[in-house]
Amino acid sequence: MGLLDGVMGNASKIDAAKIQDEFSRILAPGEVVEHAYLLIRDYFVFTNKRLVLVDKQGMTGSKVEYHSLPYKSITHFSIETGGTFDLDAELKIWISGSAAPFQKQFNKKLSIYEVQSVLASYVLK
């Protein structure tokens, strides 16, 4: 992924095996990274047990928030595709006990349908 892609908000799929080591400190025993997507500096990481939203903060990205969403806590989710003038697609995820959804925007480089399909495969088990 080029620098311009990152600045423009493009997301890209990353090899899950490549980031398994990076996430080893936060993974539970037997937990494995199965799918991962990079959005500028942030990650969507799908493991066999949960979805981890990684938010790198600050100018250097040295401060990192790992937000774990167990699949059983996801009550529903939606996607909004990009249109003619609004090219960004949006993913919203609602968690039990929380009124406001988690929201992330994607543009056309990564199919919002692919991310939604991966999320559905875990939530609908």
Side-chain angles (χ1 to χ4, degrees):
M1 181 168 101
L3 178 60
L4 184 57
D5 288 338
V7 171
M8 297 301 292
N10 291 324
S12 60
K13 187 168 186 169
I14 14 181
D15 183 7
K18 288 184 179 180
I19 64 166
Q20 179 74 32
D21 287 340
E22 181 180 340
F23 284 85
S24 64
R25 296 184 295 165
I26 66 161
L27 297 177
E31 189 174 14
V32 178
V33 174
E34 296 182 340
H35 299 276
Y37 300 92
L38 177 65
L39 180 62
I40 304 176
R41 300 188 304 178
D42 300 339
Y43 291 106
F44 278 82
V45 179
F46 293 89
T47 76
N48 57 328
K49 299 181 183 280
R50 61 186 161 151
L51 170 60
V52 181
L53 302 175
V54 180
D55 180 17
K56 293 191 176 186
Q57 303 170 5
M59 292 296 291
T60 63
S62 60
K63 182 177 181 180
V64 182
E65 177 183 16
Y66 298 91
H67 200 106
S68 296
L69 307 174
Y71 297 123
K72 66 181 181 179
S73 298
I74 297 174
T75 59
H76 64 285
F77 52 93
S78 70
I79 61 169
E80 181 179 303
T81 61
T84 303
F85 298 106
D86 180 11
L87 301 177
D88 291 335
E90 188 172 70
L91 171 67
K92 294 180 184 177
I93 303 171
W94 283 265
I95 305 300
S96 60
S98 179
F102 288 94
Q103 295 179 210
K104 288 289 184 179
Q105 288 191 337
F106 298 83
N107 75 17
K108 293 185 180 203
K109 183 173 182 188
L110 176 68
S111 169
I112 192 71
Y113 296 108
E114 178 182 345
V115 176
Q116 186 275 161
S117 179
V118 171
L119 180 59
S121 71
Y122 290 105
V123 173
L124 302 176
K125 283 186 177 178

